[in-house]
């Protein structure tokens, strides 16, 4: 047994990345100058000469064909939040009915998919419907299902971003420039380049596939729209980190293997808090690779589930009454020499730099808290944020007691006593020596410092993490610029005290965003309001902030979005919200009318017959239990009918709106409200109807069936 296990894992290093055209493959196969040119392009975005591109294309194609590929695709990330691909074969006819496998530099570098059907928020008039895709050499190509996947950015003919990768790369560049500038001012002159690093923990649910297929709500919308709670939920805390059920363990193993082949460094897997909920965490990578990989993770999770006769649910709130799923975005900055800028150092100079970086980030999150909220706003995530599980809709920063103590002592000039682990004195010129503190287990904070990185916990499980990282990178770039501006020109010998003064200022103006307590409580929401923090509860409430003057100023200054790009995104997010709820409403109407009603009618029919039979038998008496039930169900039926009619009526009205924001507000205020009332009525009745009468599985069956 032991031996077998060793054999089966012995090949892992070979399996990992075996389907990826990664750095090692390039080094082995490309001529040295070509390899260097590609590297240069990947790092600095320098233009790649056509001869160079031709060589890379040929080598890439040969490698892909050796690994069984027949096609290639420019893989991109349109504003749907999903990925898109169009496959072309390598086949080129050469006469006589013969073909060769061909792939040119031009085909590698640029593609022109018909873009007219992707959301553009009005950016792309139909007469210039062409969009083009451009190779992103900083994210490696890979083979999946016989096709070579080339990660690309997707732009309109006029160069406007139509995707999530383009602004992400721009934001990484902006943050790189601002950080380098700041580090140089702080005297750290060796650093030439910094990267944003991201590790995205992904939560998901697994349920039986047959059950899934019987639920129109799950199939059409990803979440259950009706369904009474099971007698048991997550209150026993017996699922979190619990033993993996064999079927789940097999699935996870297969999933890891698939991901490893694609070079996705899947690392941790465990059961989550809710029944049937699980998590996968990868090792962190450069932000844009992490974003690409997270898209792959979500796709492969679903694909592998299908093979195991399971359904993988990535929606933020598949089940009411138990925890939803999020995606923790772990984020840090690393220099070209591998120094993590969020690692508290061991010398005063390193700590000085650390504190400036830390406060720069705190400042960014405070100044742009509304945009942080916007970056995670989706119809699905609205069910999570502010409910009693996920972080609230109020953005705050957790830094732990230790660091808070340090900041406090800097602010008031007192000596920091520490909590036993650290001793330091803070005079005007002496900055504290900070030990790395990894004790944070405050899971309620939306944005938590966890020792050597920040963990942004607001993103929903199905979100492309490009969105939060674009905003975070840009906001931090701006904060660093403002800090640099203040320190510019300060003489070397005055730097430490100038920094100290600046830190004091920063702490005083941004400490309102720091909160180490329990973020789920009502007291915090009240306290946050007193501190003047935003509490943007829903997408329609949050979204206008995306096109505020401040936001436009930020993004255009750092060349991450043009004003038009920003406005188009605003339209797309709003439309997406309204469309999502519209589909949910229609699905709910159909499911209640057909599926639920058939069960309801069948059961009440049986009850009625039973009551009549009994009465006949008992000379017109008896059957009081059946009659009571019937009366209850009849009352529910009346209520359901009323609520259903209201929903149908209001959905019909919604279709006549045409302002994107008003539309979204209407869906939020009227339709969601109707749906929730209809649901309450249906769920109340469902409790009385035996499972076998319903043509779909109940919560209890779905959540506890897997073995
Ligand atoms: P927890 O569940 O306690 O948050 P996990 O180990 O599940 O911790 O996840 C931590 C995540 O943070 C992993 O994906 C890890 O790769 C990532 N991470 C660690 N260090 C960094 C860093 N410097 N930059 C970005 N992400 C990081
Ligand atoms: Mg986490």
């Amino acid at each position: 047994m032991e031996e077998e296990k060793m054999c089966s894992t012995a090949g892992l290093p070979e399996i990992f990345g075996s389907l990826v055209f990664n750095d090692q493959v390039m080094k082995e196969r490309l001529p040295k100058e070509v390899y260097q040119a590609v590297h240069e392009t990947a790092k600095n975005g320098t233009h790649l000469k056509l001869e160079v591109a031709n060589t890379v294309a040929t080598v890439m194609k040969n490698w892909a064909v050796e690994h069984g590929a027949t096609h290639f695709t420019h893989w991109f990330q349109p504003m749907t939040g999903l990925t898109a691909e169009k496959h072309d074969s390598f086949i080129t006819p050469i006469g006589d009915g013969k073909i060769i496998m061909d792939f040119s530099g031009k085909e590698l570098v640029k593609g022109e998919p018909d873009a007219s059907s992707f959301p553009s928020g009005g950016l792309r008039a139909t007469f210039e419907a062409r969009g083009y895709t451009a190779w992103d050499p900083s994210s490696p190509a890979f083979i999946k299902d016989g096709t070579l996947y080339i990660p690309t950015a997707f732009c309109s003919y006029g160069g406007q971003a139509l995707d999530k990768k383009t602004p992400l790369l721009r934001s990484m560049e902006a943050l790189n420039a601002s950080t380098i500038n700041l580090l140089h001012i702080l005297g750290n002159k060796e650093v030439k380049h910094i990267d944003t690093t991201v590790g995205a923990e992904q939560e998901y649910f697994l349920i039986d596939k047959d059950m899934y297929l019987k639920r129109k709500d799950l199939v059409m919308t990803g979440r259950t729209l009706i369904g009474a709670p099971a007698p048991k939920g997550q209150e026993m805390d017996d699922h979190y980190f619990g033993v993996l059920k064999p079927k789940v363990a097999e699935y996870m193993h297969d999933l890891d293997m698939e991901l490893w082949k694609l070079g996705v460094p899947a690392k941790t897997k465990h059961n989550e808090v809710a029944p049937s909920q699980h998590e996968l965490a990868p090792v962190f990578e450069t932000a844009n690779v992490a974003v690409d990989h997270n898209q792959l993770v979500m796709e492969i999770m679903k694909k592998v589930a299908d093979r195991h006769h399971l359904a993988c649910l990535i929606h933020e709130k598949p089940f009411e009454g138990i925890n939803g799923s999020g995606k923790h975005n772990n984020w840090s900055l690393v220099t070209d020499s591998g120094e993590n800028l969020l690692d508290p150092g061991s010398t005063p100079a390193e700590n000085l730099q650390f504190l400036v970086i830390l406060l720069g980030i705190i400042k960014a999150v405070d100044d742009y808290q509304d945009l942080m909220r916007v970056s995670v706003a989706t119809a699905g995530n609205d069910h999570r944020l502010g409910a009693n599980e996920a972080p609230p809709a109020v953005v705050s920063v957790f830094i732990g007691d230790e660091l808070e103590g340090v900041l406090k002592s800097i602010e008031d000039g007192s000596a920091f006593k520490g909590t036993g682990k650290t001793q330091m004195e803070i005079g005007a010129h002496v900055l504290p020596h900070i030990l790395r503190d990894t004790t944070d287990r405050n899971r309620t904070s939306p944005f938590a410092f966890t020792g050597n990185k920040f963990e942004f916990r607001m993103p929903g499980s199905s979100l492309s993490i490009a969105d939060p990282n674009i905003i975070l990178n840009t906001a931090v770039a701006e904060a660093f610029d403002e800090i640099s501006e203040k320190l510019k020109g300060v003489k070397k010998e005055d730097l430490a005290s100038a920094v100290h003064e600046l830190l004091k200022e920063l702490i005083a103006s941004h400490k309102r965003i720091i909160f180490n307590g329990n973020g789920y409580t009502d007291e915090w929401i009240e306290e946050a309001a007193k501190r003047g923090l935003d509490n943007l509860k829903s997408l329609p409430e949050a979204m206008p902030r995306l096109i505020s003057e401040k936001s436009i100023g930020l993004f255009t200054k750092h060349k991450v979005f043009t004003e038009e790009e920003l406005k188009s995104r605003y339209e797309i997010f709003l439309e997406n919200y309204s469309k999502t709820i519209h589909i949910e409403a229609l699905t709910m109407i159909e499911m209640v009318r057909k599926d639920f009603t058939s069960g309801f009618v069948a059961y009440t029919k049986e009850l009625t017959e039973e009551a009549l039979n009994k009465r006949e038998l008992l000379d017109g008496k008896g059957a009081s239990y059946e009659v009571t039930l019937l009366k209850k169900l009849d009352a529910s039926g009346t209520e359901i009918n009323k609520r259903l009619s209201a929903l149908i009526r209001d959905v019909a009205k919604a279709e006549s709106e045409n302002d994107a924001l008003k539309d979204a507000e209407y869906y939020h205020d009227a339709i969601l409200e109707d749906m929730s009332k209809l649901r309450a009525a249906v769920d109340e009745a469902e409790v009385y109807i035996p499972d076998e009468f319903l043509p779909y599985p109940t919560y209890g069956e779905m959540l506890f069936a897997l073995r």
Side-chain angles (χ1 to χ4, degrees):
M1 190 62 201
E2 204 47 47
E3 207 177 85
E4 195 184 298
K5 209 167 162 193
M6 278 177 66
C7 288
S8 65
T9 49
L12 260 190
E14 287 74 44
I15 289 170
F16 188 83
S18 57
L19 296 178
V20 185
F21 191 73
N22 56 23
D23 201 58
Q24 194 194 335
V25 178
M26 284 201 272
K27 212 176 217 162
E28 276 165 23
R29 299 196 175 211
L30 291 175
K32 209 168 171 198
E33 339 62 83
V34 174
Y35 171 78
Q36 268 157 3
V38 174
H39 240 243
E40 198 48 32
T41 305
K43 215 168 92 191
N44 304 323
T46 44
H47 182 73
L48 203 63
K49 289 204 191 85
L50 191 61
E51 312 92 82
V52 178
N54 278 332
T55 310
V56 182
T58 307
V59 170
M60 211 187 238
K61 182 252 318 175
N62 290 343
W63 170 84
V65 171
E66 275 169 40
H67 288 77
T70 53
H71 289 67
F72 71 93
T73 183
H74 275 202
W75 187 58
F76 58 104
Q77 301 174 20
M79 291 301 299
T80 54
L82 306 170
T83 57
E85 50 193 72
K86 184 187 104 192
H87 300 216
D88 282 300
S89 76
F90 291 124
I91 287 175
T92 308
I94 49 163
D96 285 347
K98 294 208 172 82
I99 55 131
I100 53 164
M101 301 293 261
D102 196 27
F103 184 47
S104 69
K106 237 172 95 189
E107 286 171 303
L108 165 65
V109 172
K110 190 170 170 181
E112 291 197 21
D114 178 5
S116 52
S117 296
F118 291 108
S120 81
L123 263 190
R124 195 196 41 228
T126 349
F127 66 86
E128 48 171 34
R130 259 161 193 259
Y132 68 87
T133 49
W135 180 35
D136 167 19
S138 61
S139 182
F142 55 91
I143 296 171
K144 190 163 68 68
D145 304 325
T147 294
L148 170 68
Y149 280 71
I150 301 159
T152 58
F154 178 45
C155 298
S156 77
Y157 207 68
Q160 307 264 37
L162 295 174
D163 69 346
K164 306 210 174 206
K165 188 187 268 276
T166 307
L168 176 70
L169 291 171
R170 290 176 186 162
S171 75
M172 289 165 69
E173 198 33 55
L175 184 52
N176 170 48
S178 302
T179 312
I180 296 297
N181 186 32
L182 176 61
L183 292 179
H184 286 190
I185 289 175
L186 292 173
N188 190 346
K189 300 235 157 72
E190 267 86 77
V191 181
K192 291 192 191 66
H193 186 90
I194 67 103
D195 258 327
T196 326
T197 52
V198 169
E201 299 162 55
Q202 176 74 46
E203 291 181 337
Y204 61 99
F205 280 85
L206 281 181
I207 64 166
D208 177 79
K209 186 168 151 191
D210 289 334
M211 291 196 194
Y212 167 81
L213 290 174
K214 286 187 185 139
R215 300 252 354 176
K216 284 185 185 134
D217 47 6
L218 283 180
V219 172
M220 300 287 172
T221 74
R223 73 178 180 107
T224 54
L225 300 167
I226 53 179
K232 180 181 171 185
Q234 62 191 46
E235 56 284 274
M236 301 294 284
D237 290 326
D238 53 356
H239 193 253
Y240 192 52
F241 283 13
V243 178
L244 299 177
K245 291 175 178 156
K247 206 164 160 52
V248 174
E250 276 164 36
Y251 164 79
M252 286 179 168
H253 175 75
D254 205 6
L255 174 62
D256 277 345
M257 282 308 225
E258 291 292 325
L259 291 173
W260 288 337
K261 280 188 226 162
L262 296 171
V264 179
K267 174 92 176 156
T268 316
K269 50 186 180 186
H270 61 80
N271 284 348
E272 259 300 330
V273 173
S276 288
Q277 192 186 30
H278 313 282
E279 180 186 294
L280 179 146
V283 176
F284 67 93
E285 302 174 280
T286 307
N288 73 317
V289 179
V291 168
D292 288 359
H293 280 172
N294 181 251
Q295 292 290 346
L296 276 178
V297 164
M298 292 192 283
E299 182 192 322
I300 306 290
M301 271 181 171
K302 291 190 174 160
K303 197 168 103 181
V304 174
D306 207 52
R307 258 195 336 240
H308 288 249
H309 214 80
L310 296 168
C312 174
L313 311 177
I314 302 192
H315 192 282
E316 283 75 13
K317 195 73 184 174
F319 304 101
E320 197 121 309
I322 59 171
N323 274 8
S325 299
K327 176 145 52 196
H328 294 173
N329 189 82
N330 293 274
W331 179 96
S332 191
L333 301 168
V334 67
T335 67
D336 48 346
S337 64
E339 180 192 4
N340 179 353
L341 294 176
L342 279 172
D343 221 339
S346 48
T347 67
E350 282 170 353
N351 279 334
L352 175 141
Q353 182 184 294
F354 166 74
L355 286 170
V356 173
I357 299 280
L358 179 82
L359 274 153
I361 296 167
I362 292 172
K363 171 179 166 56
V365 176
D366 186 25
D367 287 343
Y368 296 99
Q369 47 180 285
D370 55 347
L371 294 182
M372 297 286 287
R373 168 66 181 96
V374 167
S375 78
V376 298
T378 61
N381 211 21
D382 271 9
H383 297 289
R384 222 180 125 241
L385 298 178
N388 263 344
E389 47 171 291
V394 180
V395 177
S396 65
V397 181
F398 171 91
I399 55 170
D401 295 338
E402 192 92 354
L403 265 181
E404 199 181 19
V406 171
L407 298 196
K408 200 167 173 322
S409 57
I410 292 175
E411 195 190 3
D412 59 22
S414 63
F416 178 64
K417 304 269 183 338
T419 52
K421 270 187 284 176
T422 56
Q423 297 129 15
M424 56 185 97
E425 276 185 26
I426 302 175
H429 302 280
V430 188
L431 281 147
H433 170 113
I434 302 160
L435 285 183
R436 193 174 134 181
D437 180 292
T438 45
T439 55
D440 153 58
R441 282 295 156 251
N442 182 338
R443 301 248 156 215
T444 66
S445 176
F447 196 78
F449 182 69
T450 49
N452 61 355
K453 61 183 158 74
F454 271 104
E455 183 170 342
F456 186 32
R457 296 176 175 141
M458 287 171 99
S461 47
S462 68
L463 190 75
S464 160
I465 42 163
D467 294 316
N469 285 301
I470 292 167
I471 284 179
L472 186 54
N473 292 346
T474 314
V476 173
E478 174 58 22
F480 285 179
D481 277 4
E482 287 176 31
I483 292 175
S484 295
E485 197 52 42
K486 297 216 160 132
L487 295 175
K488 206 172 63 184
V490 172
K491 283 203 213 89
K492 204 173 163 202
E493 58 272 28
D494 300 333
L495 193 66
S497 59
V499 168
H500 202 164
E501 278 313 302
L502 182 63
L503 288 177
K504 267 187 176 179
E505 253 177 70
L506 287 170
I507 295 163
S509 25
H510 298 291
K511 64 182 175 194
R512 64 172 190 161
I513 196 91
I514 298 173
F515 177 62
N516 290 336
N518 183 352
Y520 295 173
T521 62
D522 294 339
E523 291 78 46
W524 164 235
I525 302 303
E526 275 167 39
E527 161 75 14
K530 278 192 212 132
R531 293 190 190 185
L533 301 180
D534 286 319
N535 184 5
L536 302 165
K537 292 194 205 73
S538 68
L539 181 142
E541 210 180 312
M543 207 42 76
R545 302 296 184 97
L546 187 65
I547 52 165
S548 70
E549 217 170 291
K550 189 172 163 192
S551 172
I552 294 172
L554 171 75
F555 288 114
T556 52
K557 177 181 166 195
H558 292 276
K559 300 197 166 48
V560 173
F561 289 122
T562 63
E563 186 169 338
E564 296 72 41
E565 286 172 340
L566 215 48
K567 288 188 169 155
S568 76
R569 263 150 229 261
Y570 164 79
E571 294 280 326
I572 292 171
F573 289 135
L574 286 169
E575 273 171 22
N576 191 288
Y577 177 84
S578 301
K579 282 183 192 162
T580 302
I581 299 175
H582 188 73
I583 293 168
E584 287 180 352
L586 295 184
T587 306
M588 187 174 198
I589 292 168
E590 173 162 330
M591 206 169 153
V592 172
R593 263 184 185 158
K594 294 188 179 170
D595 303 10
F596 171 78
T597 304
S598 74
F600 179 87
V601 169
Y603 181 54
T604 44
K605 180 166 175 254
E606 186 166 298
L607 264 181
T608 311
E609 282 167 5
E610 179 60 16
L612 288 174
N613 283 344
K614 256 193 193 173
R615 293 210 159 184
E616 201 173 320
L617 216 67
L618 302 170
D619 300 328
K621 290 193 211 90
S624 68
Y625 186 45
E626 288 82 350
V627 172
T628 313
L629 266 181
L630 266 173
K631 280 186 184 158
K632 261 193 188 127
L633 283 168
D634 194 54
S636 283
T638 309
E639 177 71 6
I640 290 167
N641 187 30
K642 187 173 129 198
R643 297 300 176 193
L644 183 62
S645 306
L647 178 59
I648 293 168
R649 179 198 64 213
D650 290 345
V651 169
K653 274 196 232 157
E655 284 169 296
S656 58
E657 292 277 351
N658 56 17
D659 172 275
L661 181 60
K662 282 214 188 89
D663 234 351
E665 283 166 350
Y666 180 75
Y667 275 99
H668 177 269
D669 299 344
I671 305 296
L672 279 184
E673 198 52 34
D674 286 344
M675 287 171 67
S676 126
K677 286 182 179 147
L678 174 57
R679 176 175 190 144
V682 170
D683 290 0
E684 204 178 295
E686 194 198 281
V687 176
Y688 295 101
I689 304 175
D691 293 357
E692 62 271 24
F693 280 85
L694 293 169
Y696 49 80
T698 60
Y699 268 36
E701 292 173 284
M702 282 187 285
L703 290 168
F704 297 97
L706 284 193
R707 286 290 153 249

